[in-house]
Amino acid sequence: MKKRLYSLLLMIMACVVALQAQHHRLSKDEFRQRQQSFITEKAGLSQEEAMRFFPLYFELQDKKQVYNQKAWKKMQKGKEADLTEDEYAQIIEDVIQARIDTDRLDLEYIRKYKKILSSKKIYLIQKAEMKFHRELLRDMRQAKKGNFKR
């Protein structure tokens, strides 16, 4: 259940990143730099750990983005008025399959991370990543109200 929630959160965050970049002109590189700094600080990564971890982390994010974009396109197709019940069923299955695929990627990369980091550090990274996304959402809400701080 936690994995599903985490995967759903990451899919939402991919959309949020796109919106953040559009509204505040935050490039992918700028976003990643902020994310890397935040996670490095909050998880207490050394410079060497960060140098070894983040290339894998961003590689995973890029791979997951492909699955998330496919799922998003499927969900958009569901807006068409003339779809059959079978087409809706296929959309549902395709979206769930994308989640399963991203979960498999997460597991694959966790195993890679364990070769360079302790399980505790990986846990702290996951915790920091979730906090980063919560703060990003909070900042976006404030920006909508005109109180955005960079």
Side-chain angles (χ1 to χ4, degrees):
M1 183 68 176
K2 277 186 179 181
K3 256 189 153 173
R4 293 268 183 234
L5 180 61
Y6 185 69
S7 293
L8 180 61
L9 179 66
L10 287 176
M11 286 177 63
I12 292 169
M13 289 302 109
C15 295
V16 168
V17 169
L19 287 173
Q20 177 77 3
Q22 283 179 347
H23 288 97
H24 301 293
R25 304 198 196 305
L26 188 64
S27 73
K28 182 177 180 179
D29 289 336
E30 290 171 325
F31 174 82
R32 284 185 171 186
Q33 182 56 44
R34 285 186 185 187
Q35 187 178 36
Q36 182 173 339
S37 296
F38 187 92
I39 290 171
T40 298
E41 177 188 337
K42 297 296 183 188
L45 298 180
S46 69
Q47 186 175 2
E48 181 183 334
E49 288 171 329
M51 285 175 34
R52 294 177 73 199
F53 169 73
F54 281 103
L56 284 174
Y57 178 79
F58 292 131
E59 180 180 294
L60 171 61
Q61 299 310 310
D62 290 341
K63 288 180 179 182
K64 287 169 64 172
Q65 184 177 14
V66 171
Y67 288 114
N68 292 337
Q69 286 173 341
K70 287 180 186 176
W72 183 252
K73 285 180 184 176
K74 291 289 183 173
M75 291 300 290
Q76 293 302 313
K77 183 175 171 51
K79 292 180 177 180
E80 296 174 13
D82 60 343
L83 294 180
T84 66
E85 193 63 23
D86 287 339
E87 288 171 317
Y88 279 117
Q90 188 62 52
I91 289 170
I92 293 167
E93 287 186 29
D94 290 345
V95 170
I96 291 170
Q97 187 61 51
R99 290 182 194 153
I100 291 168
D101 292 340
T102 59
D103 285 346
R104 284 190 181 126
L105 275 175
D106 280 328
L107 184 58
E108 176 187 333
Y109 276 79
I110 289 292
R111 290 177 178 146
K112 290 180 181 184
Y113 299 160
K114 284 182 178 181
K115 293 178 182 177
I116 58 174
L117 297 169
S118 69
S119 293
K120 181 179 180 179
K121 288 275 182 154
I122 296 167
Y123 167 80
L124 292 172
I125 288 167
Q126 289 178 330
K127 188 175 171 183
E129 180 182 33
M130 292 172 84
K131 186 172 184 172
F132 176 80
H133 291 298
R134 280 193 310 268
E135 288 187 16
L136 180 66
L137 284 172
R138 184 197 68 222
D139 290 347
M140 288 178 63
R141 277 189 227 112
Q142 288 177 349
K144 251 185 173 174
K145 293 177 184 177
N147 302 329
F148 185 71
K149 299 175 186 173
R150 282 197 180 214

